[in-house]
Each structure stands twice: as structure tokens, then as C-alpha cells.
Amino acid sequence: MSENKRASFGGKLSVILVAAGSAIGLGAIWRFPYIAGENGGAAFVLVFLLSVLVVGIPAMLAEFAIGRYTRKNAVGAFRSLSKRWSWLGYGGVLCALFISGYYYLIAGWSLEYLVNSATGQLYSSSLSFTEQFKEFQASWRPLIYGVIFILMTYFIVSRGVEKGIEKASKIMMPLLFVILIVMAVRVAFMPGASEGYRFFLSCDFAQAFKPETIMMAIGQAFFSLSVGMGCMVTYSSYFKRNNNLVNTSLNVSLLTLMVSVLAGLVIFPAVFSAGIEPSEGPSLVFVTLPEIFNGMPLAPLWSTIFFVLVMLASLTSTISFHEVLTAYFAEEFKLSRRAAAITTTAISVVLSLLTFSKLFGIDYLDIFDKLTANVMMPLGAMFTCVFAAWFLERGFMKNELTNQNTINRYVAPVIVFMLKYITPLLIFYIFVMNLI
Ligand code: PHE
């Protein structure tokens, strides 16, 4: 596609909201609290913060630079810079496929809980919340809701980059913040909430600085920032040339960090208030929280509000990896945008079916989750940094970060230095340490 025909996002704020929309999702609201709960609470938050600063942001900037410069889908972007590196783009597409294989299903859980909260059924059932969750998992409904989620995503993506993705993010992201803040304030007034703050904000450094924990934090940073799989390459291919990439990446990271911590501040006080173990694992949001809402006046209302939040956050993320695939099919196979979006949708349905059916007794959900967040995204990010800092023309990164020497003249060298010597080595070191 020629430059002037290619779609682009509007102003600065749109760009931040769209990229933050991709970043903020189940990673921040569902994954972060339980991983932090299992890995040392506030000390984990600190390791996570360091991971975002030292590896997340530089890697995101490498992707931004590559995407905005080439204005192509993930595969096209790497290929047009160097044929020998196009595998990195394919790796991203593959990673987007794996994520599609489980993310929609979990996002679909929030739809079931949203519907059951709004109808009050969740709170009037004679089954306990654990039993309800099990009953739900054993039924066909996860698949049905997962497919509905895929179709909602399709609906937005097929409307295009500006009218679909940008418009949806501009409405949904501010709403998400309002809901989260209302929830955090509400929870603060629950009896026993202080216990939760103490847990979330107390530090277990010994636990948090183990190599496995650092790897988890780095994996969480990549997953949560949508970095290391071509998503930010694809999105930044719609940025305007004069966008301040450094600013955008800082804003997106800050917003993601805020939402992750806020989600922790909603969940942990609530968990302790109900006297439940903090490291409940993946069911934290779907079993523990209803338990807690149950003790509050207007339970169905709060519960509905919360699951609307989870749904919105997930939807702005699903559209972003749907777009990685849609842009890839459209540009690489010369399909119309609609045909490409339909192809992506069909593949997502098939993969969700595979995960749902646990074909051959395999837990695809866990495999896809660990494989993408702990292996593919860190490796993808590492090679993207190496590529941007060592293999592209000297000065490529600096030119992109400074918009041809007009802005960020002091920070750009620092980031280039990190991309060259620190970020990839650190990822590599932690990765190997973790293997042995
Ligand atoms: N960042 C999203 C989340 O935290 C997940 C995601 C990963 C989205 C990779 C796009 C690409 O939920």
C-alpha cells in the first residue's frame, strides 16, 4: 500500500489510547494480580516496574521505530528492512495465533459473568461460586461466549483502523479508567481491606529476585505491553510520522502500570476482606471476586460493573492481535480488509475450539499462555532489539526516536545504548538462567 493510501490514527491522544488499549487487558487485570500474589506481592511490583523500564520500553520503541518507518504489517515490516530477518515477523504472526488460541476464551468468561451478574443469577444460584465456575467450565458456554467475543472483535476490526479500532479505543479506554477508580474507592471501605493493602504492599525480596520470578516479571512486562510479537509494529505502522515515539511509549507504559497496580488495589483488599488465599491462581477474578461482591449491598450491580471493565479491557486487546493477523493477511496475500478479517476470525474460532476441546487431553490454555509470555515474546523482543540496534543502518534508531534530530536529543542515545548493550543481554541472561 502506498503511504498516502494507508490508514493512520488521528492525534497524539488517539495514538496513546489505542496502544494503551492493546496493552491494558487481561494481562493487567487478570494475570498481574495473581502472578504478583504468587511471587512476593509488592516486591514483585518493583521487579515488574524495573522490567518495564529496562526491557519493556526499549523493546517497544524498537517496534515503534520499525513499524512507523516501514508502514507495513509485522512480516512486511521486517522483510522490507532485511529479507534475512523476515522470520522475526513470522514469529510475531505465529505468536498472535497462539494468543488467539486462548485469549478469546478467557475474555468470553467475562461475558458469561457479565450476563449472570446483570440478571442476578450469579448471586441467586444455590451453587457456590466455585461450583458455578466448574459447572460453567464443564458446559459448552465458554466456547459460545468465546466465539461471541471473536465476533465482537471482528465487528470492530472490519470497520477499519480509524472508524473501528481508533473510535472504539477512544470510548472504551476512558470508561475503563473511570470504572476502575470507582471500584478501587468502593473496595477501600470494605472491612478488612487494610490487610489486603498490607499484603500487596509488603515486600518479599527473597522471592521477588529469584531468576524464575524475574523471568515471570519480564514475561509479564512483554505480555502486558503487547511487545515482542509484532503488535506494536503493526499499530505503529498507523502512527503519523511526527509522533513522539518516546513520549508515546512512556505514556502507554505508565497507563499499563497504573491499571495493573489499581487492579491489585481492587482485588487484594477484596480478597482479604473475604478471608481468601491471595494466590488463588487464574480463577481469582471469577471465583474470588463474586464471593466478595456477594457480601456487599447491590452485589449484582458492582459485579456487573466489574465484568464490564474486564470485557472492555479485553476487547481493546483482542482487536490488537486480530489486527496483527488481519493486516498480515490483507497485505501479504493481497486480500481485501474484510476478507482478511474474516480469515483471521475463522482461524481464531478453530483455535479456540481446539483449546476448548482439550484435544488429546492437552491443556492448550496453559501451554499457549506460558509459551507466548515466557518464551516467544521475550525471544521476539530480544531479537527485535538486536536487529534494530545492530543490524539496521547506524543511526536508524536515533533518527526515528528523534524524528530526524528534532526532538528527544538527549534521551535517544540512552535508549540506543540500552538497546545495544543492556536490554537484549539481560533478556538472554535471564532466559538462560531460567532454563538451567
Ligand atoms: N497486552 C494484552 C493484555 O495484557 C495482551 C496482548 C498480548 C495483546 C500481545 C496483544 C498482543 O491483555
Side-chain angles (χ1 to χ4, degrees):
M1 241 184 266
S2 74
E3 160 128 15
N4 41 11
K5 266 209 262 131
R6 194 178 169 86
S8 73
F9 295 133
K12 262 196 308 209
L13 185 66
S14 309
V15 165
I16 293 172
L17 289 180
V18 169
S22 168
I24 296 165
L26 290 172
I29 297 176
W30 169 74
R31 210 169 178 277
F32 179 80
Y34 85 78
I35 291 187
E38 285 171 351
N39 292 289
F44 182 84
V45 179
L46 183 71
V47 180
F48 178 64
L49 174 75
L50 290 176
S51 307
V52 168
L53 282 176
V54 182
V55 297
I57 292 178
M60 187 189 292
L61 283 168
E63 289 198 23
F64 278 174
I66 290 169
R68 186 182 62 173
Y69 179 83
T70 59
R71 307 189 82 73
K72 290 202 162 67
N73 69 88
V75 171
F78 283 100
R79 188 189 322 102
S80 71
L81 289 169
S82 157
K83 277 222 167 58
R84 283 180 40 212
W85 283 80
S86 47
W87 59 270
L88 204 45
Y90 285 108
V93 166
L94 192 66
C95 192
L97 282 175
F98 287 155
I99 294 178
S100 307
Y102 76 94
Y103 201 100
Y104 291 111
L105 285 172
I106 301 176
W109 300 355
S110 70
L111 283 185
E112 151 103 0
Y113 276 75
L114 171 56
V115 170
N116 289 356
S117 302
T119 59
Q121 197 191 320
L122 186 62
Y123 296 92
S124 59
S125 163
S126 58
L127 299 178
S128 74
F129 293 110
T130 312
E131 285 163 348
Q132 288 195 57
F133 186 70
K134 286 205 180 118
E135 185 272 327
F136 168 57
Q137 292 297 320
S139 73
W140 281 88
R141 301 199 305 284
L143 182 65
I144 296 168
Y145 279 116
V147 171
I148 295 178
F149 216 97
I150 297 175
L151 294 177
M152 285 162 55
T153 307
Y154 164 77
F155 177 75
I156 296 174
V157 172
S158 66
R159 303 194 53 161
V161 169
E162 290 116 338
K163 285 208 202 93
I165 300 177
E166 180 175 343
K167 208 165 150 206
S169 307
K170 274 165 93 173
I171 300 170
M172 297 197 280
M173 293 309 287
L175 197 59
L176 186 147
F177 276 97
V178 173
I179 298 179
L180 201 56
I181 289 170
V182 170
M183 292 289 306
V185 172
R186 174 65 190 87
V187 164
F189 291 101
M190 292 178 64
S194 57
E195 195 59 24
Y197 295 126
R198 206 166 308 134
F199 169 78
F200 188 43
L201 303 173
S202 78
C203 293
D204 181 352
F205 284 106
Q207 169 68 24
F209 283 91
K210 282 188 194 151
E212 313 91 275
T213 316
I214 301 181
M215 191 63 221
M216 290 284 263
I218 291 182
Q220 174 63 18
F222 289 134
F223 183 81
S224 205
L225 296 175
S226 312
V227 163
M229 44 77 70
C231 188
M232 291 303 180
V233 172
T234 308
Y235 264 12
S236 58
S237 71
Y238 308 122
F239 288 6
K240 295 213 160 83
R241 287 257 181 247
N242 62 3
N243 187 277
N244 185 338
L245 299 181
V246 176
N247 239 328
T248 303
S249 78
L250 285 175
N251 277 299
V252 171
S253 306
L254 193 68
L255 289 173
T256 309
L257 212 63
M258 271 170 48
V259 170
S260 304
V261 172
L262 264 176
L265 290 179
V266 168
I267 290 171
F268 288 114
V271 166
F272 276 87
S273 175
I276 294 167
E277 265 296 291
S279 51
E280 276 283 285
S283 64
L284 193 61
V285 162
F286 297 94
V287 176
T288 315
L289 281 184
E291 195 95 56
I292 289 148
F293 292 132
N294 202 21
M296 304 176 13
L298 302 177
L301 176 71
W302 288 109
S303 176
T304 308
I305 294 177
F306 180 78
F307 288 108
V308 168
L309 166 82
V310 180
M311 183 202 79
L312 291 177
S314 310
L315 193 54
T316 50
S317 298
T318 54
I319 55 186
S320 71
F321 53 79
H322 196 294
E323 178 64 23
V324 169
L325 298 169
T326 299
Y328 164 71
F329 287 125
E331 294 172 17
E332 298 297 308
F333 297 91
K334 309 266 177 295
L335 299 180
S336 72
R337 197 175 158 84
R338 214 175 108 87
I342 291 177
T343 310
T344 304
T345 301
I347 297 176
S348 305
V349 172
V350 172
L351 286 170
S352 302
L353 184 64
L354 177 77
T355 301
F356 173 76
S357 66
K358 298 207 169 68
L359 195 66
F360 306 122
I362 298 172
D363 184 0
Y364 296 97
L365 196 157
D366 194 53
I367 295 178
F368 286 158
D369 177 41
K370 297 253 158 63
L371 184 67
T372 51
N374 294 348
V375 182
M376 293 180 83
M377 295 173 81
L379 287 183
M382 181 181 89
F383 284 113
T384 306
C385 295
V386 169
F387 177 57
W390 291 99
F391 285 85
L392 288 177
E393 251 169 70
R394 279 191 71 201
F396 171 86
M397 275 310 294
K398 186 162 156 269
N399 275 337
E400 288 304 308
L401 295 177
T402 58
N403 290 354
Q404 324 301 327
N405 273 318
T406 56
I407 50 171
N408 300 328
R409 262 178 261 171
Y410 298 105
V411 278
V414 179
I415 293 166
V416 171
F417 179 84
M418 290 181 59
L419 277 174
K420 270 192 161 156
Y421 302 104
I422 300 184
T423 310
L425 279 179
L426 193 71
I427 304 175
F428 184 70
Y429 173 74
I430 298 290
F431 194 76
V432 173
M433 283 290 284
N434 203 38
L435 280 186
I436 51 179

